[in-house]
Amino acid sequence: MKPNIKNIAVLTSGGDAPGMNACIRAVVRTGIYNGINMFGVTQGYQGLINDSIIPMGARSVSNIIHLGGTILKTARCLEFKTEEGMEIAYKNLKSRDIDGLIVIGGDGTFTGARNFSKKYNDIKVIGIPGTIDNDLYGSDFTLGYDTAINTVIEAIDKIRDTADSHDRLFFIEVMGRDSGCIALRSAIASGAEAVLLPERFTSIDELVTQLALGASTKKSSSIVIVSEGHKAGGAYDIAKQVKERFNHYDTKVTILGHLQRGGSPSSFDRILGSRLGFAAVNELIKGNTREMVGLRGNEIKTVKIEDALNNHNFKLEGDLLEMTKVLSI
Ligand code: ATP
């Protein structure tokens, strides 16, 4: 039986995340398998406005499952926030009779999808959580997070080698905006001495006390993970403030920056991207709209995009928080 939905477009928007290509591949192939015409939109919502909407076949997604970034490119598009921008996007989709749209991105992308679909409800929209920040309600993990944290850990391990050889204190800044998920989990996985999170204020005094304790028990190096959203400032600021009060170690700062976004996706992100892409097309086939597909307890489940936007789920587990103190003595 042919599904009701005839033409589906897929786009990636906001920050790129490893696993997006695996997800695009799954979306395109699941659609084609079900007899649906598939389209790719380049540069997120900007491509909808620029009419950059291209037909995609099973072979257009060959050999991309292992690639980082997104073959569709991504962009931040202010024009899509306006009524006029949305209207142009709608007309471009309608000119190809597109009746389903799958958006892969973070909360900004979902806000756009929700607003667009409320205004033009004859185009059904499904969201896929794709962001390294892991900050979306309704999915235990977002696409790209696992690869990003593995990249972070690999970098910290390398820094630890040199820190240990020179008796140094390193402040390593990681991404995450308002979410300390990358910082907290990478601190646990790399055995960092301390972590500064946006969700929980740690004063310089507290940090110095913790570092001094390590020094007094003969730690030869210390690593402090600083989440970019921490209220006391970035890694350079914090390093300066700590150095003024505690100069037991030679102090260095590393900002990991955009390397955290790149790289070949981990097996986890390839599988997650494939599952979410497959599920998103099936939700459109069932006739659903304004839903986000996510992973919860190893099952793919849906949540209303509205609910995903209204709840913040930064998932800072209590045991992990406690372990940052207990395991770093
Ligand atoms: P990441 O978490 O990786 O940054 P994101 O999806 O949150 O991803 P944003 O830049 O916040 O990234 O949003 C992506 C795009 O979504 C914006 O560039 C814009 O085109 C669209 N968007 C965001 N907010 C709105 C809005 N209120 N109305 C319409 N479109 C929006």
Side-chain angles (χ1 to χ4, degrees), residues 60-102:
S60 17
V61 289
S62 294
N63 231 340
I64 63 166
I65 197 164
H66 60 297
L67 300 178
T70 157
I71 60 158
L72 290 176
K73 313 259 184 199
T74 181
R76 306 204 192 257
C77 170
L78 291 180
E79 210 181 336
F80 194 71
K81 294 186 179 179
T82 66
E83 303 259 310
E84 298 75 29
M86 281 205 188
E87 192 181 341
I88 299 170
Y90 176 73
K91 284 184 177 156
N92 287 335
L93 287 168
K94 286 309 271 188
S95 72
R96 291 171 180 83
D97 209 14
I98 287 169
D99 44 4
L101 178 65
I102 293 175

Side-chain angles (χ1 to χ4, degrees), residues 100-111:
L101 178 65
I102 293 175
V103 299
I104 309 170
D107 55 357
T109 301
F110 290 168
T111 307

